[in-house]
Amino acid sequence: AERIARLTMTGRTRLVLATREAAQQDLVGTRVLHHGGSGAFGAKDAPAGHAVHDSILRATGFTLLHDNLVDAFDLPADAARGVDGGAAPAAKDAAAREAAELEMMRRLLMRLERWLARERRLLEASSARPLERAYFVLLDGDKTRVAKVLADAA
């Protein structure tokens, strides 16, 4: 649960979903629509240009994980150990953890995109187009736009 919160809810990184049309654009600068239970969740007004959608409350979260994705946030057992099998210095541990988490997110994105393509049941309300692509992104300082795409399913 801590890893899900840190990577997708509380920091500046998010797992976002996009329509095929939005995915064909450069996502840097794209608006991130959050669906945290506000009135905006059901809004049908299209944002100016394309947008991506925060996946929390749509496909992932503490109590909602579609298609048996519950194990997708697990790191490989060897990622928790140092290079020599023992405890590693903190700097090496942090770098190793970040690399392992990025690889974990790539695997999650591939699984999530397969589910999105198969089910085609998550739709963008303003366009009625299915959300088909998934990305792990870094948000800008205001947490409203994509600053950098960290990983995709490719």
Side-chain angles (χ1 to χ4, degrees):
E2 179 276 331
R3 187 173 298 121
I4 293 172
R6 182 171 41 80
L7 293 175
T8 66
M9 290 187 251
T10 60
R12 284 187 50 213
T13 54
R14 295 291 185 277
L15 194 147
V16 298
L17 307 175
T19 63
R20 181 181 309 150
E21 293 76 14
Q24 292 172 348
Q25 309 297 317
D26 180 9
L27 294 182
V28 173
T30 301
R31 189 169 145 202
V32 178
L33 300 180
H34 300 278
H35 303 288
S38 70
F41 180 81
K44 296 198 185 220
D45 294 330
H50 292 289
V52 294
H53 302 266
D54 191 331
S55 71
I56 293 302
L57 301 181
R58 292 197 132 209
T60 60
F62 285 115
T63 60
L64 173 67
L65 281 167
H66 290 290
D67 200 38
N68 198 23
L69 291 174
V70 70
D71 66 336
F73 284 93
D74 292 342
L75 290 178
D78 60 342
R81 295 188 299 269
V83 175
D84 61 359
K92 285 185 182 178
D93 278 350
R97 188 196 76 222
E98 286 178 17
E101 286 177 344
L102 190 57
E103 184 57 34
M104 174 203 68
M105 291 304 289
R106 285 187 181 106
R107 289 190 309 271
L108 170 62
L109 294 169
M110 287 186 279
R111 290 173 65 183
L112 184 53
E113 280 196 7
R114 282 193 303 265
W115 179 80
L116 290 168
R118 185 177 65 245
E119 296 295 325
R120 297 181 59 86
R121 64 179 170 170
L122 288 183
L123 304 176
E124 183 177 62
S126 63
S127 70
R129 291 187 174 113
L131 298 171
E132 300 179 32
R133 300 294 315 270
Y135 299 90
F136 183 51
V137 301
L138 177 68
L139 301 180
D140 65 6
D142 294 331
K143 297 184 180 179
T144 59
R145 296 189 179 272
V146 175
K148 182 178 181 180
V149 175
L150 301 173
D152 61 26

